[in-house]
Amino acid sequence: MKAVFAGTPEFAAVALRAMIEAGFEIPLVLTQPDRPAGRGMQLQASAVKQVALAHGIEVLQPLSLRMDSKDAQRAEEAKAAHERLLATDYDVMVVAAYGLILPRATLDIKPCINIHGSLLPRWRGAAPIHRAIESGDPETGVTIMEMEEGLDTGPMLLMERLPILDTDTTGSLHDKLAEMGGRMIVDALQRMAAGGLQAEPQPEEGVTYAAKISKEEAKLDLARPALELARKVRAFNPFPGAHAQAGGVTVKIWNAQAVDGKGRPGQVLSADAQGIVVACGEGALRLTELQKPGGKRLAAGEFLKGFSFDGVSFE
């Protein structure tokens, strides 16, 4: 099978590498435009673009695929991309974390299948990995699905499950699901080529939506239960990083566990090399990895060498 690939971040790049290694012919890759990144804010190619260029694959980076866009440049780029797709010899489009909406005109050219990091219909939308951890889900997984105009509503082709460990962060779970997605898309394409893959509709019950993560969400409300806050810390690691104010300083919290403890929310109950224990609305949170503005991520013992909590509370 010949496959056009559309994706942007590392989650998608893992799948693209797996398809290349499996021997699929990929005549064209779509990815988002280069973005400023790093301290120097230099333009940086997406992870998918880097893989494509390394293998000599043509890359298109339209701002939009909507030819009816009111923005003239976006509409022009969308039309050019559409014409390029029409001129390309391919059997299926594989989409993974592309970040652009595929309009009906694109979906109608050839079948489109998506690699989605959740057990659909739970966590349709932009941030399924974050939301699964934040909500305390016991498991997640990957769904390979046919694409339609609705948000992650298409029929399912393959699904695999994965337990969420108490130690999993969005970063660690992302890597597991990316590897799973790469393996599954190769399996799906091979079975499609052999005519042995059947789609089934998603269940009507159990639909939830994974809204895009905002930086504002990452501020911890210490009046909430410690178990809930510990999940948030894991869910927002590595982005955007949970944080709270301590003595007027914004402290990022990269690792924390819920423990027994009682006090005024934000009150520091103890501080030593094992962690800074902070009272919450219910229970307490032991902070074991922290970061000051402009500083490095440090274990609690190292952090305390440069930060005193005498008379200081979190808020």
Side-chain angles (χ1 to χ4, degrees):
M1 295 185 74
K2 296 179 181 179
V4 166
F5 188 89
T8 299
E10 182 60 24
F11 182 89
V14 171
L16 178 58
R17 289 190 201 98
M19 290 169 59
I20 292 170
E21 290 169 4
F24 289 101
E25 183 176 344
I26 302 168
L28 181 67
V29 160
L30 278 69
T31 190
Q32 289 210 40
D34 297 359
R35 306 290 189 196
R39 291 190 176 183
M41 296 302 286
Q42 298 292 316
L43 286 178
Q44 183 171 316
S46 72
V48 162
K49 180 179 179 179
Q50 293 177 45
V51 173
L53 293 181
H55 290 84
I57 302 171
E58 179 184 354
V59 176
L60 287 184
Q61 296 177 271
L63 290 167
S64 172
L65 292 176
R66 291 186 174 277
M67 293 182 287
D68 59 353
S69 173
K70 294 181 180 179
D71 183 297
Q73 181 182 355
R74 290 173 181 267
E76 184 177 344
E77 290 191 13
K79 182 178 179 182
H82 184 73
E83 291 174 351
R84 184 68 188 85
L85 286 169
L86 289 173
T88 300
D89 178 19
Y90 70 103
D91 303 298
V92 62
M93 178 184 285
V94 174
V95 182
Y98 181 26
L100 294 183
I101 295 173
L102 270 60
R104 170 52 58 190
T106 302
L107 296 171
D108 283 344
I109 299 174
K110 290 290 173 68
C112 298
I113 60 175
N114 179 245
I115 307 168
H116 187 75
S118 82
L119 302 174
L120 291 171
R122 185 159 179 79
W123 302 128
R124 294 173 178 172
I129 302 175
H130 297 79
R131 299 305 182 191
I133 293 177
E134 183 185 17
S135 296
D137 289 6
E139 63 176 0
T140 184
V142 170
T143 306
I144 308 293
M145 54 171 284
E146 294 179 351
M147 294 188 70
E148 54 187 29
E149 286 187 282
L151 179 63
D152 299 327
T153 57
M156 302 180 296
L157 297 167
L158 287 177
M159 178 184 288
E160 286 192 23
R161 298 174 180 273
L162 180 74
I164 299 177
L165 306 179
D166 290 341
T167 54
D168 270 324
T169 64
T170 287
S172 67
L173 195 56
H174 166 279
D175 293 349
K176 295 177 190 178
L177 294 175
E179 186 279 330
M180 179 183 285
R183 175 173 48 78
M184 288 175 65
I185 193 61
V186 168
D187 182 30
L189 292 173
Q190 290 172 340
R191 290 169 64 178
M192 285 177 67
L197 196 59
Q198 300 295 320
E200 61 178 77
Q202 293 186 31
E204 294 183 4
E205 296 182 356
V207 175
T208 55
Y209 290 92
K212 185 177 180 179
I213 300 296
S214 68
K215 290 184 178 181
E216 290 74 20
E217 291 181 79
K219 179 172 171 49
L220 297 182
D221 177 1
L222 293 164
R224 303 297 302 167
L227 280 171
E228 177 185 315
L229 296 177
R231 293 198 303 263
K232 283 183 176 289
V233 170
R234 291 163 48 218
F236 298 151
N237 179 354
F239 175 84
H243 61 86
Q245 291 278 322
V249 177
T250 298
V251 177
K252 281 204 169 184
I253 301 161
W254 294 108
N255 205 330
Q257 298 84 40
V259 295
D260 291 334
K262 191 173 183 180
R264 173 179 49 81
Q267 179 183 354
V268 176
L269 303 179
S270 65
D272 54 35
Q274 280 64 55
I276 295 97
V277 179
V278 183
C280 302
E282 182 179 309
L285 205 58
R286 175 180 285 123
L287 317 180
T288 56
E289 187 179 8
L290 308 93
Q291 182 181 15
K292 292 188 295 185
K296 296 180 180 179
R297 293 169 58 159
L298 299 172
E302 290 299 310
F303 186 84
L304 287 170
K305 292 179 181 179
F307 195 102
S308 173
F309 283 98
D310 291 341
V312 173
S313 295
F314 279 90
E315 56 185 51

